[in-house]
Amino acid sequence: MRLVRSLVFASILALPAGAALATPSSTMWTPMTLDIQPYGVLHWGVDNYFTAFRKADNGAGDFPTDAGLTVGILPFEKFQMEIGVDVLEPSNDPVFFNLKMGAPEGALFSGAPALEVGIFNAGTKQDVTDYNIIYGVIGKTFPAVGRFSVGPYIGNKKVLVDAQGKKENTGWMAAFDHGFMPFKDAEGNPLNRLVFAVDYASGDNALGGGGAGLYYYFTKNISLLTGPTWFNEEAINGKWKWSIQLDINVPSFAQ
């Protein structure tokens, strides 16, 4: 139905309070989506999370801007893989890596759900930004209803902690999206102009929280997402923020 690479936020910065994440193909706040970048398609995304109608307090204001690149690297229909890199600025250690692979819906057998595994927020500073969050996804599309996905996660127990510094490195994530206002692009492909998306991650840590937003598709390769995000642990991430995310797909070496 759609392909988006909206980054996520969860890497503690060297600021008094605040966190940020960098992920593979995502829904809004989590990587709980059935999408994986197609082979040879380069994705460029810019995500912003900022306070709305209030003053920043004790460093818990805006998150750093996330600029990321992701590309599909396997030329197979039934098993796909993407790799990506994100730069979060301003921060002291801005570079993060991610990887996601799996089988799309119907690949294993007729009616089979999508199955995926991946890792995100693989930072470059040991026990500071190397969250190394490993996760799984199982998802299914229900006609006229939307797409559902759910899965567990586990991260670096020395970094994925609660506000008191205690280990809080496991949990689960879930997401749902639904497209409407169908249209056809310049090539005659049927698409949805608008997509409603909502997701959530459990845990009293930098990842815990969720978001809900609306994608607007200018074309099949360009979309803009906006909506609020909220957090389970305000001592780490601060209060809710508004997000604007731009996603652009550019066919590169495979097409």
Side-chain angles (χ1 to χ4, degrees), residues 46-236:
V46 179
D47 291 13
N48 285 287
Y49 293 80
F50 51 89
T51 58
F53 308 112
R54 67 176 184 271
K55 296 180 180 179
D57 184 30
N58 297 325
D62 298 356
F63 286 156
T65 297
D66 185 344
L69 293 174
T70 306
V71 64
I73 61 171
L74 291 182
F76 309 124
E77 291 185 5
K78 295 189 176 182
F79 187 78
Q80 302 168 343
M81 180 184 293
E82 66 179 32
I83 56 175
V85 59
D86 296 276
V87 177
L88 279 66
E89 290 287 9
S91 64
N92 291 345
D93 301 283
V95 179
F96 296 83
F97 300 95
N98 60 74
L99 179 149
K100 185 177 187 180
M101 59 185 175
E105 288 187 82
L108 301 179
F109 54 86
S110 178
L115 297 174
E116 302 168 353
V117 295
I119 182 171
F120 67 99
N121 261 59
T124 59
K125 190 168 185 178
Q126 185 176 4
D127 293 337
V128 177
T129 64
D130 59 338
Y131 283 82
N132 299 338
I133 302 173
I134 299 171
Y135 66 101
V137 181
I138 180 170
K140 182 69 175 173
T141 300
F142 295 91
V145 177
R147 306 192 306 173
F148 293 86
S149 55
V150 65
Y153 75 83
I154 183 171
N156 184 346
K157 64 182 180 181
K158 294 183 179 180
V159 186
L160 202 61
V161 297
D162 64 16
Q164 288 72 46
K166 297 181 180 179
K167 180 179 69 173
E168 184 75 10
N169 67 322
T170 62
W172 56 271
M173 298 182 286
F176 166 78
D177 62 48
H178 173 76
F180 51 100
M181 286 185 63
F183 76 105
K184 291 186 178 181
D185 64 13
E187 299 175 353
N189 299 309
L191 301 168
N192 288 303
R193 181 70 72 184
L194 297 175
V195 175
F196 170 75
V198 60
D199 60 359
Y200 175 78
S202 71
D204 293 328
N205 51 41
L207 177 60
L214 194 65
Y215 287 91
Y216 181 86
Y217 279 80
F218 300 93
T219 71
K220 69 175 183 178
N221 290 317
I222 302 174
S223 68
L224 187 69
L225 163 68
T226 189
T229 54
W230 57 90
F231 314 105
N232 298 341
E233 186 57 88
E234 291 187 357
I236 295 176

Side-chain angles (χ1 to χ4, degrees), residues 1 7 41 68 143 154 157 206 251:
M1 182 174 66
L7 311 177
V41 176
I154 183 171
K157 64 182 180 181

